[in-house]
Amino acid sequence: MTKVLLGVNAFPATGDGGRRQAEALATWRALDGVRLANLGWPGDVFEVDGFATHAVLARDSRTASGQQGPRKPIVSEAFDRLAEIAEAEGCRWFAYANSDIAFTQAAIDRILGGGRDAYAFSRMDVHPETGEGIEMVTAGIDAFAISAGWWRANRRRFRAYIGGEPIWDNVYTAILLRHADAELLNREPLVTHERHPAGDWRRSPFARYLNYLAALDRPYFSLWAEYHARLEDLRAGRSRERSEPPSLPQSVLGEGQPRSGRERATPGEAGEGLVGGRERALPAGLSEGSTKSAELGTTPAGVSEDEEMRLQRIFRRRRGPLAHTLQAGRALKARVRWAAAKRGDA
């Protein structure tokens, strides 16, 4: 089994969104060592040239949350189906990304040549006019590749988050880096994305459901927030003297709307397709395709890859008995509140 199954949930986008999707998926078709799959629901699937169509999804954002809103996949179910398809087609890994994420051959070669259980990729945002790199968007994860066998053995660890919504990509990455032979790749432009305006995920009709899941997964998201804060400090040449992780706002952990008080610890913004997107304004001076974008898109200067890989050991840190007890109490409180909210909606 030497191929990677690349999966997507394409949709009938129009205008610039349709163009971005078509151009991104064209890069997938040009890859070696892959098979392509497009997931959808029975009677609701958007076919894409060169992709095998699989109308195998059953759940969605509405059935999981009990709220009306855009129909989006459930991440864990999408991964379940991709793992099954991958094994049936002789692929060791399945991968998933938004339909507007462009893959490079270097990303596929990294998966095939590395032999790990899992890989998580942050994207390089590129200028919409020039295609030049703007920056690595390290606050989120935009593509995953996971061994089908590992996923089957560990699937119980992953909750039913909604694709295209915040938080889940950070949590899934923390789970992978804690329990799998995995690596987070956020130094080089292995996957890219054309920058464009984003919606406001704080207005999501699914926010209450996401807050509930985030409260249950607080230990994982806390690890992510600490990792990302330390990563930005390392790349900026700052030292972090205090050992405790950055504080997390209650709103990320089940109290009110999901948001973050620190830009570096933000759980994400709503994007297209499955993976939680993060859109940011173009830096000053880039509106006309300035060559400054090439400087912003380079590998971090003065920080070695080994240093950053060692930083990922944060995810392996053990929690003490008190932390387990506190989280059990928080999780119970979150479940009681979620049950009460569902009764109120009935």
Side-chain angles (χ1 to χ4, degrees), residues 109-136:
D109 293 344
R110 184 70 175 249
I111 299 166
L112 294 174
R116 293 180 181 268
D117 294 328
Y119 301 84
F121 299 86
S122 291
R123 75 186 189 224
M124 167 72 80
D125 262 4
V126 300
H127 195 284
E129 297 177 4
T130 68
E132 293 179 327
I134 298 173
E135 66 173 335
M136 292 296 301

Side-chain angles (χ1 to χ4, degrees), residues 172-212:
Y172 272 36
T173 299
I175 295 172
L176 291 171
L177 290 172
R178 185 171 186 84
H179 299 290
D181 176 15
E183 64 179 354
L184 168 58
L185 300 167
N186 56 13
R187 288 173 59 88
E188 301 175 11
L190 299 175
V191 299
T192 65
H193 167 267
E194 180 184 308
R195 181 163 289 183
H196 59 87
D200 185 357
W201 56 264
R202 297 172 182 83
R203 300 177 182 272
S204 170
F206 313 123
R208 187 169 59 186
Y209 173 73
L210 299 173
N211 284 333
Y212 163 60

Side-chain angles (χ1 to χ4, degrees), residues 144 181 223 233:
F144 289 85
D181 176 15
L223 287 173
D233 287 341

